[in-house]
Protein backbone atom coordinates (compact mmCIF):
# COMPACT_ATOMS: atom_id res chain seq x y z
CA UNK A 1 0.00 0.00 0.00
CA UNK A 2 1.41 3.27 -1.01
CA UNK A 3 0.28 6.45 0.61
CA UNK A 4 0.01 9.40 -1.63
CA UNK A 5 0.94 12.02 0.91
CA UNK A 6 1.28 15.53 -0.35
CA UNK A 7 3.76 17.42 1.76
CA UNK A 8 2.60 20.92 2.52
CA UNK A 9 4.42 23.61 4.32
CA UNK A 10 3.04 25.12 7.45
CA UNK A 11 3.14 28.59 6.01
CA UNK A 12 0.43 27.79 3.49
CA UNK A 13 -2.07 26.77 6.17
CA UNK A 14 -1.18 29.37 8.74
CA UNK A 15 -0.43 32.84 7.45
CA UNK A 16 1.98 34.79 9.55
CA UNK A 17 4.35 31.91 10.37
CA UNK A 18 6.72 32.52 7.50
CA UNK A 19 8.10 35.64 9.12
CA UNK A 20 8.45 35.92 12.88
CA UNK A 21 8.12 39.70 12.58
CA UNK A 22 4.77 39.32 10.82
CA UNK A 23 2.94 38.06 13.91
CA UNK A 24 -0.32 39.94 14.36
CA UNK A 25 -0.11 42.08 17.47
CA UNK A 26 -2.85 42.20 20.04
CA UNK A 27 -4.37 45.49 21.05
CA UNK A 28 -2.04 47.68 23.15
CA UNK A 29 -4.48 48.11 26.00
CA UNK A 30 -4.97 44.36 26.32
CA UNK A 31 -1.24 43.67 26.34
CA UNK A 32 -0.67 46.43 28.91
CA UNK A 33 -3.32 45.02 31.21
CA UNK A 34 -1.94 41.50 30.80
CA UNK A 35 1.51 42.69 31.86
CA UNK A 36 0.17 44.25 35.05
CA UNK A 37 -0.11 41.02 36.98
CA UNK A 38 -3.07 39.41 38.71
CA UNK A 39 -2.31 40.42 42.29
CA UNK A 40 -1.41 43.99 41.38
CA UNK A 41 -4.57 44.38 39.34
CA UNK A 42 -6.73 42.83 42.06
CA UNK A 43 -5.15 44.93 44.81
CA UNK A 44 -5.72 48.17 42.88
CA UNK A 45 -9.34 47.15 42.16
CA UNK A 46 -9.99 46.42 45.84
CA UNK A 47 -8.33 49.67 46.93
CA UNK A 48 -10.32 51.55 44.30
CA UNK A 49 -13.61 50.04 45.46
CA UNK A 50 -12.87 50.83 49.13
CA UNK A 51 -11.83 54.38 48.23
CA UNK A 52 -15.03 54.75 46.19
CA UNK A 53 -17.11 53.75 49.22
CA UNK A 54 -15.23 56.16 51.49
CA UNK A 55 -15.65 58.92 48.90
CA UNK A 56 -19.41 58.34 48.76
CA UNK A 57 -19.59 58.52 52.57
CA UNK A 58 -17.48 61.71 52.68
CA UNK A 59 -19.59 63.25 49.92
CA UNK A 60 -22.73 62.46 51.90
CA UNK A 61 -21.16 63.97 55.01
CA UNK A 62 -20.20 67.06 53.00
CA UNK A 63 -23.81 67.55 51.93
CA UNK A 64 -24.73 68.49 55.52
CA UNK A 65 -23.68 72.07 54.96
CA UNK A 66 -25.32 75.46 54.71
CA UNK A 67 -23.37 76.63 51.67
CA UNK A 68 -24.72 75.69 48.27
CA UNK A 69 -21.33 75.03 46.67
CA UNK A 70 -20.36 72.65 49.49
CA UNK A 71 -23.57 70.71 48.92
CA UNK A 72 -22.79 70.61 45.19
CA UNK A 73 -19.28 69.47 46.01
CA UNK A 74 -20.67 66.67 48.17
CA UNK A 75 -22.97 65.52 45.36
CA UNK A 76 -20.01 65.59 42.97
CA UNK A 77 -17.96 63.51 45.41
CA UNK A 78 -20.77 60.94 45.70
CA UNK A 79 -20.96 60.69 41.89
CA UNK A 80 -17.16 60.39 41.74
CA UNK A 81 -17.17 57.62 44.36
CA UNK A 82 -19.93 55.76 42.56
CA UNK A 83 -18.02 56.07 39.28
CA UNK A 84 -14.90 54.73 41.01
CA UNK A 85 -16.80 51.71 42.31
CA UNK A 86 -18.40 51.19 38.91
CA UNK A 87 -15.05 51.27 37.06
CA UNK A 88 -12.97 49.33 39.58
CA UNK A 89 -15.45 46.78 40.92
CA UNK A 90 -18.35 46.41 38.49
CA UNK A 91 -19.49 43.30 40.34
CA UNK A 92 -20.77 45.61 43.11
CA UNK A 93 -23.33 47.04 40.68
CA UNK A 94 -24.61 43.89 38.97
CA UNK A 95 -28.20 45.05 39.28
CA UNK A 96 -27.70 47.23 36.18
CA UNK A 97 -27.54 45.71 32.75
CA UNK A 98 -25.08 48.34 31.51
CA UNK A 99 -22.55 47.44 34.23
CA UNK A 100 -21.08 44.56 32.22
CA UNK A 101 -20.33 46.85 29.26
CA UNK A 102 -18.83 49.50 31.52
CA UNK A 103 -16.67 46.86 33.23
CA UNK A 104 -15.35 45.58 29.90
CA UNK A 105 -14.62 49.15 28.81
CA UNK A 106 -12.85 49.82 32.11
CA UNK A 107 -10.72 46.69 31.75
CA UNK A 108 -9.63 47.76 28.28
CA UNK A 109 -8.38 51.18 29.46
CA UNK A 110 -4.64 51.52 29.90
CA UNK A 111 -3.22 52.43 33.32
CA UNK A 112 -2.14 55.81 31.94
CA UNK A 113 -5.70 56.76 31.02
CA UNK A 114 -7.03 55.60 34.38
CA UNK A 115 -4.28 57.52 36.19
CA UNK A 116 -5.11 60.70 34.29
CA UNK A 117 -8.83 60.20 34.92
CA UNK A 118 -8.44 59.64 38.66
CA UNK A 119 -5.94 62.47 39.05
CA UNK A 120 -7.87 65.13 37.10
CA UNK A 121 -11.53 64.52 38.02
CA UNK A 122 -11.21 65.32 41.77
CA UNK A 123 -9.65 68.71 41.02
CA UNK A 124 -13.09 70.17 40.21
CA UNK A 125 -14.07 69.71 43.86
CA UNK A 126 -11.44 72.21 44.98
CA UNK A 127 -13.08 74.93 42.90
CA UNK A 128 -16.43 74.37 44.58
CA UNK A 129 -15.67 74.10 48.26
CA UNK A 130 -12.51 73.47 50.22
CA UNK A 131 -13.09 71.57 53.42
CA UNK A 132 -11.46 68.74 55.29
CA UNK A 133 -13.82 66.11 53.88
CA UNK A 134 -13.39 67.34 50.29
CA UNK A 135 -9.61 67.43 50.54
CA UNK A 136 -9.44 63.98 52.14
CA UNK A 137 -11.80 62.42 49.58
CA UNK A 138 -9.96 64.00 46.67
CA UNK A 139 -6.60 62.85 47.99
CA UNK A 140 -7.92 59.29 48.30
CA UNK A 141 -9.14 59.27 44.68
CA UNK A 142 -5.88 60.84 43.53
CA UNK A 143 -4.05 58.11 45.45
CA UNK A 144 -5.75 55.48 43.29
CA UNK A 145 -4.69 57.50 40.24
CA UNK A 146 -1.14 57.57 41.59
CA UNK A 147 -1.20 53.77 41.94
CA UNK A 148 -2.15 53.45 38.27
CA UNK A 149 0.58 55.94 37.41
CA UNK A 150 3.13 53.85 39.31
CA UNK A 151 1.97 50.75 37.44
CA UNK A 152 2.38 52.59 34.12
CA UNK A 153 5.81 54.00 35.00
CA UNK A 154 6.91 50.68 36.47
CA UNK A 155 6.38 48.96 33.13
CA UNK A 156 8.39 51.63 31.37
CA UNK A 157 11.08 51.35 34.01
CA UNK A 158 11.37 47.61 33.38
CA UNK A 159 11.90 48.33 29.69
CA UNK A 160 14.63 50.80 30.53
CA UNK A 161 16.24 48.27 32.85
CA UNK A 162 16.19 45.61 30.13
CA UNK A 163 17.63 48.04 27.57
CA UNK A 164 20.40 49.04 29.97
CA UNK A 165 21.21 45.39 30.66
CA UNK A 166 21.34 44.64 26.94
CA UNK A 167 23.63 47.60 26.41
CA UNK A 168 25.98 46.54 29.19
CA UNK A 169 26.15 42.91 28.15
CA UNK A 170 26.25 43.72 24.46
CA UNK A 171 23.44 41.33 23.52
CA UNK A 172 21.58 43.90 21.45
CA UNK A 173 22.76 42.64 18.10
CA UNK A 174 26.44 42.97 17.30
CA UNK A 175 27.84 41.62 20.52
CA UNK A 176 30.06 43.06 23.19
CA UNK A 177 32.80 45.49 22.30
CA UNK A 178 36.24 44.41 23.37
CA UNK A 179 38.96 46.80 24.41
CA UNK A 180 40.99 45.89 21.32
CA UNK A 181 38.23 47.23 19.05
CA UNK A 182 38.30 50.67 20.62
CA UNK A 183 40.50 53.01 18.65
CA UNK A 184 43.20 54.67 20.70
CA UNK A 185 42.90 58.41 21.00
CA UNK A 186 45.74 60.83 20.64
CA UNK A 187 47.52 61.64 23.84
CA UNK A 188 47.32 65.27 24.89
CA UNK A 189 50.58 67.21 24.78
CA UNK A 190 52.60 67.10 27.98
CA UNK A 191 51.94 69.85 30.45
CA UNK A 192 54.50 72.58 30.39
CA UNK A 193 54.73 74.57 33.60
CA UNK A 194 56.24 77.59 31.84
CA UNK A 195 52.91 78.51 30.27
CA UNK A 196 50.09 79.40 32.68
Amino acid sequence: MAFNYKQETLTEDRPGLEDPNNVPASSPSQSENDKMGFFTKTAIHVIGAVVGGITIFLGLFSCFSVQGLCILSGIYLMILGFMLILLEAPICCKFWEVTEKIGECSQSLSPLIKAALYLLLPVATFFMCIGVTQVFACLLVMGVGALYGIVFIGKKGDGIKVARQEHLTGTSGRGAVSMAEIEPQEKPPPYDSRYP
Side-chain angles (χ1 to χ4, degrees), residues 25-169:
S26 61
S27 66
S29 61
Q30 181 183 6
S31 64
E32 286 179 2
N33 283 339
D34 290 343
K35 291 179 187 176
M36 192 184 324
F38 175 74
F39 291 113
T40 306
K41 191 181 342 181
T42 305
I44 292 177
H45 287 314
V46 168
I47 291 170
V50 170
V51 165
I54 293 172
T55 305
I56 290 173
F57 175 73
L58 290 174
L60 183 65
F61 186 73
S62 179
C63 284
F64 297 118
S65 176
V66 180
Q67 297 174 345
L69 284 177
C70 288
I71 294 171
L72 185 64
S73 172
I75 293 170
Y76 182 75
L77 282 176
M78 287 191 294
I79 292 170
L80 189 64
F82 183 71
M83 184 198 72
L84 193 63
I85 289 176
L86 192 63
L87 290 177
E88 293 300 319
I91 196 164
C92 296
C93 305
K94 277 294 190 187
F95 53 88
W96 281 352
E97 294 176 7
V98 74
T99 306
E100 187 175 325
K101 294 176 185 175
I102 292 173
E104 289 172 2
C105 179
S106 170
Q107 295 299 322
S108 67
L109 292 176
S110 73
L112 178 65
I113 294 173
K114 282 188 177 182
L117 187 72
Y118 295 150
L119 287 173
L120 294 178
L121 283 179
V123 174
T125 312
F126 293 125
F127 294 115
M128 294 181 219
C129 179
I130 296 180
V132 177
T133 56
Q134 286 87 1
V135 170
F136 187 64
C138 290
L139 287 178
L140 285 175
V141 176
M142 287 179 173
V144 175
L147 286 175
Y148 274 112
I150 288 170
V151 166
F152 179 74
I153 291 171
K155 285 191 280 189
K156 301 303 176 211
D158 289 343
I160 293 170
K161 186 189 300 183
V162 169
R164 183 183 304 140
Q165 186 67 24
E166 285 179 356
H167 176 71
L168 292 176
T169 59

Side-chain angles (χ1 to χ4, degrees), residues 174 177-185:
R174 67 180 190 96
V177 178
S178 67
M179 292 301 287
E181 294 177 356
I182 299 175
E183 296 180 17
Q185 298 180 354

